[in-house]
Amino acid sequence: MKSTLKRVKRKLQDYLSRSNKAALPVLTNAGNRTQFSDVQRRINIYLRALWDYDFPISQTKTDFENINSHKPFIENDFIHLPRSYCDLIRDDQTRVSAQEVYRAASAHAAAHLIYSKHCFVAESANKWERAVISMIEDARVEALSIRRFPGLKYLWAKQHTATSAHNLSASDYLCRLARALLDETYLDEDGWIKQGRELFKAVNDLDDHRISWDIGMTLAHAFQHKKIKFNARLDRLSATYRDDNRYIWRVIKLQKDEKAATAFNYKSIVGISEVTVVEVDAVQTGGRISYESDSSALASETYYYSEWDYRSQIDTQAWVTLREKTPKSGDLQLVEKIIAKNNHLLSRMKNLLHAIRYEGVRRIRKLEEGDEIDINAAIRAQIDINLGVPPDSRIMMRSVRKSHDISVLVLLDLSRSTMKKVQGQEYTVLQLSQEVCVLFADAIDSVGDPFAIHGFCSETRHRVEYYRFKDFDQPYDDIPKTKIAGMSGQRNTRMGAAIRHATYYLNAQKSSKKLLMLITDGEPSDDDVNERKYLRVDTTKAVKDARRSGINTYCISLDPAADQYVSKIFGARNYLVVDHIKSLPEKILLLYASLTH
């Protein structure tokens, strides 16, 4: 009982010690609250109507001792909204309903999810600089949203109440700047506010996130002449609908001996989730951004790929983080058993591939030296001699066999669904994939075609894992065989990023033909995406990009329902839905023979 009384006393003292500005929102219409549970369904419908997308929304856990718990925030692509909002009364007695605040908050957070595609490094700026940069980023995403939906301007602008009379704290000026950048009818003669307006108005490309950093840094330094200190804990913004901006910042944990030498800047750190950072140089190669370091194996195995957002029609750069993982080794006897069990099929397929290894004979004519006489040329030469005309001495020819010039990469879906047993069978989809890889690799290796076997799985856009079981320049010996034997299935299927990474490796091959064969048991999916269409469209874009670079992409699907979507992704003639699972190894080898003939 005593502990409860002490806690109540402490909270009461904390409340009474607040400034008027902090206490006013609590007192104003405190009894007239709208609960999140009452508006959640309407908010979902509202955002769906705007962006044609179901944004995941949840309620924040309120901590009455932490004022920040009452602010919206975005985390792991989820929009978190406060448990309740009160109606707001402006100085001119205009009432803003709590439902309008919820709409404004959700629309603002959604704008960040749509347009804030790159993150800034928190260690690259101090607290005041981060506050100003965040303010500019808020204005940028709102301006982009208003271009598409002009009505949002009125919804947001009516909730900004700062005026030139508010000039005591740094947050007062931030609130005035926020209103000035949103509402051109708002008058403010302060030189710092005017500078911010002019810099923002002069921007040619609002899609470039770097303007938030550039303008923010300029204004943060220009504010120093006012000699007003910024208190990150006490200074609050008057527009309650705006989130705390944690979504646009990434904290990079550095070791003590690395802090002085760090060469990162916000332009090179984009799309990073949880990674220990060392000094690196950013390298742009083939549609990807990788971070290379002599001292960190992890950094050299991390790649950042774009992802197509069909809602905003933007190819979001460096949105997906892909990391290459070393495959685990398995039992080599597993591979030997597969070969022994399918020895008859393997012999037939090797004979077929050897038969098509050379596509035919091409004759090179009009040679002075060759393997045989070109009869037609010799007759023409004799006629010329009889007519007294100097003959053409190039009457020889040579037959050249056309070589089979192709590189193929087999890309395996290694999601958790592959661990399930095939319907009516005693083996899993993963075991079937292993059998396909073993037979395919053994047959292709016998004819000398360069090939690679890779696999992938994912857990949100921050964690796409990519496994290289066998590379193009690697001999097919016990090392790749044990890696194939050690395959496992886990997580989900973010297919577009994996196809882009496979395309990167195929583009490095010098073959005249390049083939990407994807084996999957389902459609693209991931934990952070609730809408099927989003990843389907992105995968379609990845396939089209691969085709433009000269790569033929073919999908072998084990999903009985694949006909509903696979043709839209890969094209009407570039997929095969396997009905009889047992014949899959033979079908893939026959398919390879037909595609490469």
Side-chain angles (χ1 to χ4, degrees):
M1 183 68 180
K2 290 183 178 180
S3 62
T4 302
L5 289 174
K6 287 182 179 179
R7 186 169 65 254
V8 172
K9 180 180 178 181
R10 185 176 65 254
K11 290 183 178 180
L12 181 61
Q13 290 174 341
D14 176 67
Y15 170 75
L16 293 175
S17 65
R18 292 180 182 176
S19 65
N20 290 337
K21 184 183 296 185
L24 185 60
V26 179
L27 294 174
T28 305
N29 294 322
N32 188 17
R33 288 183 174 273
T34 298
Q35 301 294 322
F36 172 79
S37 57
D38 296 332
V39 298
Q40 181 178 8
R41 183 172 177 273
R42 277 174 280 179
I43 293 299
N44 281 323
I45 296 173
Y46 175 69
L47 293 183
R48 176 73 190 214
L50 285 176
W51 301 106
D52 190 25
Y53 180 73
D54 292 323
F55 292 92
I57 303 175
S58 65
Q59 175 182 292
T60 60
K61 295 180 180 179
T62 304
D63 178 3
F64 291 100
E65 295 184 354
N66 182 5
I67 192 170
N68 281 328
S69 69
H70 297 274
K71 289 186 69 65
F73 66 91
I74 308 169
E75 195 168 64
N76 296 326
D77 292 338
F78 269 73
I79 298 174
H80 298 261
L81 298 177
R83 177 176 297 178
S84 64
Y85 273 125
C86 295
D87 292 353
L88 302 179
I89 306 296
R90 291 167 50 101
D91 293 340
D92 59 1
Q93 300 305 307
T94 302
R95 178 181 291 272
V96 180
S97 70
Q99 291 187 26
E100 289 179 294
V101 180
Y102 268 118
R103 284 202 299 272
S106 60
H108 180 81
H112 274 303
L113 287 169
I114 295 294
Y115 295 115
S116 292
K117 299 299 188 181
H118 303 276
C119 296
F120 305 118
V121 179
E123 284 77 7
S124 299
N126 59 39
K127 292 181 179 179
W128 168 244
E129 291 168 343
R130 291 202 296 270
V132 182
I133 292 168
S134 297
M135 181 66 67
I136 303 301
E137 180 66 7
D138 285 338
R140 185 183 75 88
V141 299
E142 288 189 350
L144 288 169
S145 300
I146 290 169
R147 281 182 180 178
R148 294 187 63 180
F149 310 108
L152 288 175
K153 181 178 180 180
Y154 176 74
L155 175 67
W156 286 326
K158 68 189 297 187
Q159 300 186 40
H160 286 264
T161 58
T163 66
S164 56
H166 299 91
N167 55 14
L168 298 179
S169 66
S171 63
D172 286 339
Y173 283 92
L174 278 180
C175 293
R176 289 163 61 182
L177 176 63
R179 185 176 182 182
L181 297 182
L182 177 63
D183 184 4
E184 67 277 1
T185 64
Y186 166 65
L187 300 178
D188 199 312
E189 296 301 319
D190 182 80
W192 188 73
I193 304 297
K194 284 185 175 181
Q195 182 185 8
R197 260 182 166 164
E198 291 170 357
L199 289 172
F200 195 77
K201 188 177 180 179
V203 172
N204 293 323
D205 183 13
L206 283 174
D207 289 317
D208 186 356
H209 70 286
R210 292 173 294 185
I211 67 168
S212 299
W213 179 278
D214 296 337
I215 297 176
M217 279 295 189
T218 300
L219 292 175
H221 297 159
F223 190 78
Q224 294 177 0
H225 78 277
K226 292 186 180 293
K227 300 187 184 305
I228 300 176
K229 291 184 178 181
F230 174 67
N231 189 319
R233 186 174 64 88
L234 297 178
D235 284 4
R236 302 297 170 195
L237 303 181
S238 59
T240 58
Y241 73 87
R242 286 190 170 178
D243 61 275
D244 62 6
N245 280 315
R246 71 180 69 175
Y247 179 73
I248 65 174
W249 294 96
R250 287 289 182 267
V251 177
I252 309 299
K253 296 180 181 179
L254 301 176
Q255 302 298 327
K256 291 182 179 180
D257 58 345
E258 294 169 345
K259 290 183 178 179
T262 300
F264 272 108
N265 59 54
Y266 83 103
K267 295 179 182 178
S268 60
I269 310 301
V270 285
I272 289 180
S273 179
E274 298 176 5
V275 58
T276 302
V277 176
V278 295
E279 183 177 3
V280 300
D281 294 320
V283 181
Q284 182 87 27
T285 310
R288 70 184 177 92
I289 300 177
S290 66
Y291 293 95
E292 300 179 354
S293 169
D294 294 334
S295 59
S296 173
L298 173 62
S300 65
E301 297 174 354
T302 303
Y303 302 78
Y304 300 92
Y305 284 98
S306 63
E307 193 166 81
W308 179 254
D309 189 337
Y310 78 92
R311 300 160 302 187
S312 57
Q313 294 294 297
I314 292 175
D315 200 10
T316 312
Q317 298 299 314
W319 183 243
V320 179
T321 304
L322 182 147
R323 294 187 177 90
E324 290 191 352
K325 298 287 186 177
T326 302
K328 295 180 181 179
S329 297
D331 188 356
L332 187 59
Q333 291 184 356
L334 174 65
V335 176
E336 294 172 351
K337 288 179 181 179
I338 292 173
I339 293 176
K341 186 180 71 172
N342 297 276
N343 191 50
H344 180 66
L345 168 64
L346 196 55
S347 297
R348 283 197 299 110
M349 295 315 302
K350 285 183 179 180
N351 291 334
L352 173 62
L353 292 178
H354 276 283
I356 67 168
R357 183 66 178 88
Y358 295 99
E359 297 179 350
V361 176
R362 181 169 60 93
R363 288 188 173 90
I364 302 177
R365 301 179 184 275
K366 291 189 176 182
L367 299 175
E368 291 188 353
E369 296 182 1
D371 300 328
E372 53 186 317
I373 296 176
D374 184 348
I375 300 298
N376 292 330
I379 292 173
R380 285 195 298 269
Q382 185 61 49
I383 293 173
D384 290 339
I385 292 172
N386 294 338
L387 294 173
V389 177
D392 188 345
S393 62
R394 296 175 298 173
I395 62 172
M396 303 298 291
M397 66 180 181
R398 182 180 296 118
S399 297
V400 179
R401 303 184 77 179
K402 294 172 65 178
S403 62
H404 192 66
D405 186 20
I406 186 169
S407 296
V408 59
L409 189 151
V410 178
L411 184 61
L412 302 172
D413 170 7
L414 298 177
S415 57
R416 69 171 67 93
S417 60
T418 61
M419 300 297 288
K420 298 178 181 178
K421 287 186 177 181
V422 177
Q423 188 174 4
Q425 304 294 336
E426 290 301 318
Y427 49 81
T428 65
V429 173
L430 181 68
Q431 290 172 327
L432 183 61
S433 297
Q434 286 175 313
E435 184 174 317
V436 168
C437 288
V438 170
L439 298 178
F440 183 85
D442 203 274
I444 301 302
D445 187 59
S446 68
V447 295
D449 287 344
F451 70 98
I453 299 175
H454 296 173
F456 72 97
C457 62
S458 66
E459 188 175 43
T460 77
R461 67 182 178 87
H462 300 294
R463 189 178 181 182
V464 178
E465 295 184 353
Y466 195 91
Y467 300 89
R468 291 156 55 190
F469 301 101
K470 197 272 181 192
D471 285 323
F472 288 106
D473 56 353
Q474 181 182 15
Y476 184 59
D477 52 21
D478 289 350
I479 294 177
K481 289 178 181 179
T482 55
K483 290 180 179 179
I484 292 173
M487 286 181 182
S488 62
Q490 57 189 336
R491 304 188 178 95
N492 302 296
T493 318
R494 207 175 197 99
M495 201 173 287
I499 289 176
R500 290 181 177 94
H501 199 52
T503 298
Y504 162 69
Y505 282 111
L506 276 168
N507 279 333
Q509 297 303 300
K510 297 181 180 180
S511 305
S512 59
K513 290 183 180 180
K514 300 171 186 178
L515 175 62
L516 174 59
M517 297 178 67
L518 173 68
I519 302 176
T520 179
D521 68 331
E523 63 180 309
S525 64
D526 214 338
D527 289 337
D528 58 343
V529 179
N530 294 328
E531 186 183 17
R532 289 182 175 180
K533 184 179 178 181
Y534 177 85
L535 288 181
R536 285 183 183 179
V537 175
D538 173 64
T539 305
T540 304
K541 180 71 162 51
V543 170
K544 289 180 179 178
D545 291 342
R547 188 177 298 124
R548 276 194 288 268
S549 63
I551 297 171
N552 184 18
T553 304
Y554 202 95
C555 177
I556 298 96
S557 178
L558 311 180
D559 180 9
D563 289 310
Q564 301 175 8
Y565 59 85
V566 70
S567 63
K568 295 179 180 178
I569 296 176
F570 294 92
R573 298 182 179 180
N574 295 316
Y575 74 96
L576 173 68
V577 179
V578 181
D579 298 321
H580 302 288
I581 302 295
K582 200 170 183 179
S583 63
L584 178 61
E586 183 176 7
K587 283 189 175 182
I588 289 181
L589 286 168
L590 288 171
L591 176 64
Y592 175 76
S594 65
L595 290 174
T596 59
H597 184 62

